[in-house]
Amino acid sequence: MSQPILVITEQLDGSFKNVSFEAISAGRMLGEKSGQLLIAAVMGTDIEGIARQAAAYGADRILVADHAGLKDGLADAYIQAAAQLVAKTDPAVVVIGATSLGKDIAARLSARLNAPLAMDCVGVRLEGDHVVATRPMYGGKVLADVSLSGSPAIVAIRPRAMEPAAAPGAGEIEMVDINLEGTNLNLVEKHMETGKIELTEADVVVSGGRGMGGEDFSLVEALAKALDGAVGASRSAVDEGWRPVSDQVGQTGKVVAPNLYIACGVSGAIQHLAGMASSRIVVAINKDPEAPIFSKCDFGIVGDLFDIVPAVTAEIEKLKG
Ligand code: FAD
């Protein structure tokens, strides 16, 4: 392999998403194995100041595409920028975080370049000149190794699936002019939820299901707050209109991999498990001892969540002093 490894990072409002550092670490591992340069691409508006952070994880070169047209986070503009950075660097492998925007960019790059793509990977390695990515299939029941033929091989890695590892690189910064003419999307209105921890990046997730019985999720919110965690929901809770779609965990929602996942009043349907099975420790609170979630958890509490959740929260607050 004689071409570089390109990692496309993602930042929001001037802060890198953690998955960017995970992606750079994965890219560094590939770069070390192949003896090739690791290039990190940083895209956005007014981002020159943060770009250097990519060097701490091993980037040899950092390409900065700083353009006012990238301010609104529109995929249309980001794909143009990403395609120009790929054309400039001619990489053997492109690594990107499998976030909403990352998946959009990865899929469109793949289509534009007629390049192979492995989405939502939990591992990546080189076997000879071939990139082999590990990705969950059948709702996480199977891990498949897929070998990518073609160039560049595009690998979108699942947030929190791989550890970011600090390893200082040269981090030579280069500003790159990009052309965003011909982008057709315009932002009309933007609704931001502030002060909310992003589900896919959270260290702790507390989810509520249909067992919550209604839109009052204050018990789950209080427990999540006590643990500095994020609130998730089953699809039933979302379909009922109790929680926004952005909170949904599962096959058709978000995939999370926190250190601690607490499921409150969630039965543990296969489609829900597909979104949280990679969590390190799972705690289930359910009044039905036969609920499937109990066969997938590390700790289970059989009982009424309306008694248990506040008691657990109070105990945590007591421990925190
Ligand atoms: P239920 O299955 O109704 O379970 C509620 C649980 O709460 C029960 O186990 C009950 O014992 C318990 N309970 C009730 N009251 C209390 C109480 N007071 N205290 C303690 N426990 C209590 N689902 C997802 O979550 N995410 C997805 O992404 C998703 N995608 C899907 C995609 C497809 C194509 C399909 C067909 C389905 C999908 N589903 C998804 C739906 C999934 O099959 C389940 O219907 C859903 O996960 C059930 O949600 P739930 O566990 O909240 O509700």
Side-chain angles (χ1 to χ4, degrees), residues 267-286:
S267 61
I270 181 84
Q271 296 88 355
H272 188 81
L273 299 177
M276 44 63 77
S278 309
S279 306
R280 302 216 183 10
I281 295 175
V282 176
V283 176
I285 303 169
N286 198 303

Side-chain angles (χ1 to χ4, degrees), residues 210 234-236 248-252 265 267 271-272 286 305:
R210 197 195 297 279
S234 71
R235 176 155 155 185
S236 299
Q248 186 180 318
V249 172
Q251 187 182 315
T252 42
S267 61
Q271 296 88 355
H272 188 81
N286 198 303
L305 71 89

Side-chain angles (χ1 to χ4, degrees), residues 287-310:
K287 66 180 182 184
D288 174 7
E290 302 297 325
I293 190 89
F294 285 129
S295 64
K296 298 290 174 202
C297 69
D298 300 281
F299 300 95
I301 306 173
V302 179
D304 192 325
L305 71 89
F306 293 98
D307 298 329
I308 293 160
V309 175

Side-chain angles (χ1 to χ4, degrees), residues 4-294:
I5 313 293
L6 175 68
V7 177
I8 297 180
T9 65
E10 184 175 340
Q11 56 78 38
L12 182 65
D13 297 333
S15 297
F16 275 113
K17 292 203 163 180
N18 284 336
V19 71
S20 298
F21 302 134
E22 294 155 16
I24 298 172
S25 296
R28 183 173 56 80
M29 194 257 300
L30 297 176
E32 281 175 359
K33 184 91 197 283
S34 60
Q36 294 308 320
L37 210 62
L38 175 62
I39 304 175
V42 185
M43 304 182 287
T45 309
D46 298 330
I47 34 103
E48 195 186 342
I50 64 160
R52 180 148 295 283
Q53 292 171 29
Y57 294 86
D60 300 305
R61 274 174 74 197
I62 303 169
L63 301 186
V64 183
D66 199 322
H67 194 292
L70 297 170
K71 179 166 68 69
D72 295 327
L74 297 173
D76 202 23
Y78 272 84
I79 181 65
Q80 297 263 29
Q84 287 165 45
L85 291 167
V86 170
K88 180 180 169 64
T89 50
D90 187 24
V93 187
V94 176
V95 185
I96 188 166
T99 59
S100 304
L101 180 62
K103 285 179 182 174
D104 225 335
I105 293 174
R108 293 199 203 187
L109 264 184
S110 168
R112 277 184 184 216
L113 304 173
N114 196 21
L117 162 65
M119 196 66 102
D120 209 21
C121 302
V122 296
V124 59
R125 62 182 188 276
L126 276 181
E127 282 184 9
D129 271 0
H130 274 280
V131 176
V132 177
T134 305
R135 53 184 309 276
M137 292 172 69
Y138 306 119
K141 281 195 176 306
V142 172
L143 286 179
D145 278 350
V146 293
S147 177
L148 304 182
S149 307
S151 181
I154 305 173
V155 180
I157 64 162
R158 180 183 277 190
R160 294 181 65 89
M162 298 173 212
E163 290 289 323
E172 193 185 300
I173 293 198
E174 184 185 339
M175 302 302 290
V176 181
D177 281 334
I178 48 159
N179 180 353
L180 297 184
E181 275 168 29
T183 52
N184 296 319
L185 290 182
N186 288 314
L187 185 74
V188 178
E189 224 174 24
K190 189 171 182 174
H191 296 264
M192 290 290 285
E193 285 178 288
T194 51
K196 218 173 149 179
I197 300 173
E198 165 60 35
L199 254 186
T200 53
E201 303 237 319
D203 203 43
V204 176
V205 173
V206 185
S207 281
R210 197 195 297 279
M212 297 300 298
E215 63 186 12
D216 182 0
F217 264 51
S218 54
L219 294 182
V220 161
E221 283 163 356
L223 179 54
K225 189 165 176 233
L227 293 165
D228 292 326
V231 174
S234 71
R235 176 155 155 185
S236 299
V238 171
D239 284 351
E240 293 285 355
W242 301 341
R243 297 302 293 183
V245 176
S246 56
D247 282 2
Q248 186 180 318
V249 172
Q251 187 182 315
T252 42
K254 288 183 175 161
V255 176
V256 300
N259 277 321
L260 174 62
Y261 187 86
I262 306 181
C264 310
V266 174
S267 61
I270 181 84
Q271 296 88 355
H272 188 81
L273 299 177
M276 44 63 77
S278 309
S279 306
R280 302 216 183 10
I281 295 175
V282 176
V283 176
I285 303 169
N286 198 303
K287 66 180 182 184
D288 174 7
E290 302 297 325
I293 190 89
F294 285 129

